[in-house]
Amino acid sequence: MWLLLPFVVLPIIEIALFIQVGGVIGVLPVIALVLASAVGGVAIMRRQGARAAQDVQRAMQDFTDPARPMAHGALRMIGAVLMVVPGLFTSALGLLLQVPPLRDLILRRMAARVRVSGTGFGHGPGAGFGADYPSGRRRDEGVIDGEYSVQDDPPAPVREGLTDQSENAAPRRGNSGWTQH
């Protein structure tokens, strides 16, 4: 039910704004505003992809968290998409998402609502990675350490004794020695 609410309310808001703003400034200026918003949204989307990649790359080079530039880039892209959608209300929301302090405010509010929980070795509430093991030690049950070495094919006399074919027998189809024909 809650997912359908924006699809019902948003068109009503857009129609009401078209009627109100069109009555004040006229029909042609409203159409020009919607078209200008769409062109601006497309321009922002085209520029945003490269800019977001540069921001994330810069954050990685500075050894800082790339989540902030990624989140800002995502909000800028959402704003650009809202500007492309025909309507005055969605265009206004899209323009607001292009303002950096407002994006910061939105991201802070979203971060305050996020709850991080770990899943790992333990079961039940509060069990995260290493929760079952005192003092942060891991239990290594079932782990077997071993070494291996790569060996080439054995010499020819040994290799010939591995198959069930003898020199007198006619070669069989397949020649693997693993199948009977």
Side-chain angles (χ1 to χ4, degrees):
M1 177 65 185
W2 289 103
L3 289 174
L4 294 177
L5 193 62
F7 293 106
V8 172
V9 174
L10 189 63
I12 294 171
I13 293 172
E14 293 291 359
I15 292 170
L17 279 175
F18 276 133
I19 292 170
Q20 292 294 320
V21 174
V24 173
I25 65 172
V27 173
L28 291 178
V30 168
I31 293 173
L33 276 174
V34 170
L35 290 176
S37 172
V39 169
V42 168
I44 291 171
M45 277 193 276
R46 288 186 66 174
R47 187 184 55 189
Q48 178 53 39
R51 184 175 178 191
Q54 288 174 350
D55 290 346
V56 170
Q57 186 177 19
R58 189 177 311 115
M60 298 286 280
Q61 288 173 347
D62 295 340
F63 296 106
T64 58
D65 185 18
R68 185 175 188 278
M70 288 172 60
H72 275 274
L75 286 178
R76 283 191 300 247
M77 189 62 80
I78 290 170
V81 169
L82 287 173
M83 289 174 67
V84 172
V85 172
L88 298 174
F89 182 69
T90 54
S91 295
L93 288 178
L95 278 174
L96 288 174
L97 285 176
Q98 302 307 317
V99 179
L102 188 59
R103 284 194 311 263
D104 281 333
L105 176 67
I106 291 169
L107 291 174
R108 279 196 308 269
R109 296 286 304 258
M110 288 173 64
R113 294 177 151 228
V114 171
R115 186 179 69 107
V116 178
S117 64
T119 60
F121 299 111
H123 302 286
F129 290 108
D132 289 343
Y133 312 118
S135 70
R137 292 187 336 224
R138 288 185 46 208
R139 183 173 47 183
D140 289 330
E141 290 182 9
V143 176
I144 301 172
D145 289 330
E147 296 179 9
Y148 71 94
S149 62
V150 177
Q151 296 180 350
D152 293 332
D153 286 338
V158 175
R159 199 171 44 236
E160 289 171 3
L162 294 177
T163 63
D164 62 350
Q165 294 189 11
S166 63
E167 292 179 18
N168 299 336
R172 289 187 262 175
R173 195 178 85 198
N175 264 348
S176 68
W178 287 93
T179 58
Q180 294 182 2
H181 301 280

